[in-house]
């Protein structure tokens, strides 16, 4: 069923292509005011034009930021807070796979910076305008299975594997979801995450053999429309309005790996993320603090 989102404000990151674009478009189709967050102004403008054309919705706008960069996330959060006094839905969706070890403008390993720290940082900065009932949706992945976080080497400085870094970043999405849900308990702001399935998108653009193999297999993958279904479900469905801390696959609750259900790892990741984003500094806006 297409739940009306009229009167609601939503932010979707990575909404210029793939799963995020469809998510933003379908939220707009349901009547929501939507802010598309993209990295390139041209692609963000194209996404807005596409969504307006497809849905007839006029309440769609764009903001741009490089989400691997702390200063850009702070600037983005400020711009969102100025435009939207009350945010109902935040979909953290932007992500990438980096087979070579790259560093963000802040000198953080790129996969960890973009896929995990951007979710953590932006969410914490937007929480002050997320008034109950509000929902946070984190796009994770079943790729998280088979890895644990290495707290001695979160950024792969000693040993780096691109796919492994991606897997760990998606594990971090699930641990972040669990810890945030715990801290938000009783506030009416929920936080869930999901695996979208294997979806034909731009994420597999690596020119090497890994990218080629994945693109060949992607002929059998889901369309972005199918891949966005669980994100849209968690953002809109009345039956999950009170659900929090969950991991969903195909619009149903699923059990993530044992490593993703480790509350000590979730707390440790929260503390590390606070330090790495500078959110733990006394001068920065206070993030949620709830003792274990
Ligand atoms: P995609 O490449 O089509 O979309 C990724 C989006 O993130 C794009 O809009 C891109 O511009 C944005 N982005 C990338 N780097 C950015 C940066 N530095 N700053 C701002 N935005 C940036 O890929 P997708 O498959 O639609 O990926 C969306 C999410 O789905 C990701 O979190 C990914 O991990 C997850 N996922 C995808 C699959 C799949 O099979 N495609 C499977 C599991 C999980």
């Amino acid at each position: 069923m297409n739940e009306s989102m009229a009167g609601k404000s939503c932010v979707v990151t990575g909404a210029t292509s793939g799963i995020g674009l469809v998510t933003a478009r379908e939220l707009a189709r349901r009547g929501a005011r939507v802010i598309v967050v993209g990295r390139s102004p041209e692609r963000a403008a194209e996404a807005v034009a596409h969504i307006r054309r497809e849905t007839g919705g006029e309440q769609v706008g764009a903001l741009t930021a490089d989400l691997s960069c702390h200063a850009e996330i702070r600037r983005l959060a400020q711009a969102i807070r100025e435009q939207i006094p009350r945010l109902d839905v935040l979909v953290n969706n932007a992500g990438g796979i980096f087979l070579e070890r790259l560093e963000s403008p802040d000198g953080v390993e790129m996969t960890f910076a973009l896929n995990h720290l951007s979710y953590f940082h932006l969410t914490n900065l937007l929480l002050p305008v997320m008034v109950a009932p509000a929902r946070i949706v984190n796009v994770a992945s079943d790729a998280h299975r088979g890895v644990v976080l290495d707290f001695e080497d979160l950024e792969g400085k000693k040993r780096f594997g691109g796919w492994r870094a991606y897997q760990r970043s998606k594990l971090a999405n699930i641990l972040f979801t669990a810890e945030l849900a715990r801290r938000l308990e009783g506030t009416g702001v929920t936080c869930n995450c999901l695996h979208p399935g294997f979806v034909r998108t731009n994420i597999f653009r690596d020119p090497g053999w890994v990218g080629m193999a994945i693109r060949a297999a992607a002929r059998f993958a889901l369309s972005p429309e199918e891949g966005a279904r669980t994100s849209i479900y968690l953002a809109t469905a009345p039956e999950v309005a009170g659900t929090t801390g969950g991991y969903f696959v195909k619009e149903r609750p699923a059990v993530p790996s044992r490593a993703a259900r480790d509350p000590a790892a979730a707390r440790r990741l929260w503390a590390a993320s606070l330090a790495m984003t500078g959110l733990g500094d006394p001068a920065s806006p206070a993030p949620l603090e709830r003792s274990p």
Side-chain angles (χ1 to χ4, degrees), residues 135-156:
R135 306 183 188 198
I136 297 155
V137 177
N138 294 324
V139 181
S141 173
D142 245 12
H144 78 278
R145 296 188 190 279
V147 294
V148 294
L149 291 187
D150 178 358
F151 283 99
E152 305 309 316
D153 190 24
L154 278 176
E155 298 183 54

Side-chain angles (χ1 to χ4, degrees), residues 13-21 37-40 43 64-69 92-98 110 114-115 119 138-143 166 169-170 173 194-205 214 221-222 224:
T13 70
T16 56
S17 78
I19 297 163
L21 175 59
V37 177
R39 189 176 20 173
S40 120
R43 298 201 61 192
T64 51
D66 175 354
L67 291 169
S68 71
C69 171
N92 288 306
N93 165 86
I97 301 174
F98 305 94
M110 187 60 97
L114 176 63
N115 293 9
Y119 286 22
N138 294 324
V139 181
S141 173
D142 245 12
Y166 178 75
S169 71
K170 294 288 123 183
N173 294 158
L194 67 119
H195 168 57
F198 177 36
V199 190
R200 214 166 29 246
T201 66
N202 293 334
I203 202 164
F204 307 111
R205 65 190 137 221
I214 294 177
L222 300 176

Side-chain angles (χ1 to χ4, degrees), residues 65-246:
D66 175 354
L67 291 169
S68 71
C69 171
H70 299 330
E72 295 247 325
I73 291 176
R74 289 196 200 100
R75 188 183 50 73
L76 170 70
Q78 177 70 32
I80 294 172
R81 289 197 303 252
E82 280 164 13
Q83 287 192 16
I84 299 185
R86 183 193 159 137
L87 178 61
D88 300 287
V89 174
L90 168 63
V91 183
N92 288 306
N93 165 86
I97 301 174
F98 305 94
L99 295 180
E100 301 281 315
R101 191 180 184 285
L102 303 174
E103 290 192 351
S104 72
D106 305 299
V108 178
E109 189 279 313
M110 187 60 97
T111 325
F112 194 74
L114 176 63
N115 293 9
H116 165 62
L117 288 181
S118 82
Y119 286 22
F120 178 87
H121 200 171
L122 186 63
T123 304
N124 269 297
L125 294 179
L126 292 180
L127 277 174
V129 289
M130 300 201 72
V131 182
R135 306 183 188 198
I136 297 155
V137 177
N138 294 324
V139 181
S141 173
D142 245 12
H144 78 278
R145 296 188 190 279
V147 294
V148 294
L149 291 187
D150 178 358
F151 283 99
E152 305 309 316
D153 190 24
L154 278 176
E155 298 183 54
K157 282 184 178 158
K158 293 182 200 150
R159 197 160 162 246
F160 183 78
W163 179 248
R164 180 147 291 233
Y166 178 75
Q167 289 184 286
R168 285 180 164 154
S169 71
K170 294 288 123 183
L171 170 60
N173 294 158
I174 305 175
L175 291 169
F176 166 54
T177 301
E179 180 62 12
L180 180 62
R182 189 183 73 77
R183 287 167 185 259
L184 288 171
E185 227 170 71
T187 64
V189 180
T190 64
C191 178
N192 292 290
C193 63
L194 67 119
H195 168 57
F198 177 36
V199 190
R200 214 166 29 246
T201 66
N202 293 334
I203 202 164
F204 307 111
R205 65 190 137 221
D206 172 68
W209 68 268
V210 179
M212 269 164 57
I214 294 177
R215 281 194 298 281
R219 279 184 293 151
F220 307 102
L222 300 176
S223 67
E225 279 68 22
E226 292 165 313
R229 284 180 68 162
T230 306
S231 297
I232 298 162
Y233 172 75
L234 288 173
T236 64
E239 61 266 34
V240 284
T243 302
T244 193

